[in-house]
Amino acid sequence: MRDFIFTLVIIAATALLIYVIRFLTRGLRTSCVRPRAELILYYETDCECIEYDIAKVLSSPAMTGFELSLRVVDVINTPESRAWLEELRKKTGVDFEIVEAEDNGKRKYRDDKRDC
């Protein structure tokens, strides 16, 4: 009987110690900063599944370790496309930046794999 009471006291003391440590460290910030990642998507007339692509990228387990910055380049540059992208921003709940292409046909953001 003595061993049983001693075991219960040890378990209760351990649980209390864990609770006290969690309570004291609740307000502390961690010194670990997630690495930043930037994703640039181009919205063009033949781009049918940008909504699906954004959802897949954001729900990817690989992206949970990053602080993701998302930019969508609107190549179409019409009021309808801008309104659609604004509605997509509200629908997904993701605050991504909408960048319009420059007037002379060149994009503000270039990549080496596409003819811009």
Side-chain angles (χ1 to χ4, degrees):
M1 183 71 171
R2 180 186 266 169
D3 292 336
F4 181 71
I5 294 173
F6 184 70
T7 304
L8 287 178
V9 169
I10 295 273
I11 291 173
T14 304
L16 182 64
L17 183 63
I18 291 172
Y19 177 75
V20 168
I21 290 173
R22 283 188 179 181
F23 180 75
L24 292 176
T25 60
R26 182 177 300 170
L28 298 178
R29 291 184 169 222
T30 61
S31 61
C32 179
V33 178
R34 295 185 306 174
R36 296 181 55 168
E38 183 177 31
L39 178 65
I40 300 173
L41 296 174
Y42 294 96
Y43 176 63
E44 301 179 83
T45 54
D46 60 346
C47 185
E48 298 175 357
C49 53
I50 191 168
E51 182 177 355
Y52 177 76
D53 293 337
I54 289 174
K56 285 304 247 183
V57 166
L58 295 176
S59 66
S60 170
M63 288 296 157
T64 58
F66 293 96
E67 183 180 324
L68 184 64
S69 170
L70 181 63
R71 295 180 189 201
V72 177
V73 178
D74 184 10
V75 179
I76 302 170
N77 274 345
T78 61
E80 292 84 15
S81 67
R82 177 70 179 203
W84 188 84
L85 288 171
E86 291 286 343
E87 193 64 33
L88 179 64
R89 181 189 298 173
K90 292 177 188 174
K91 182 179 180 182
T92 58
V94 178
D95 189 26
F96 55 84
E97 181 181 358
I98 300 171
V99 180
E100 295 180 0
E102 294 178 355
D103 292 337
N104 61 4
K106 294 184 180 179
R107 297 182 186 132
K108 288 184 179 181
Y109 296 96
R110 297 180 57 110
D111 56 2
D112 296 333
K113 297 179 182 175
R114 297 180 63 156
D115 183 23
C116 295

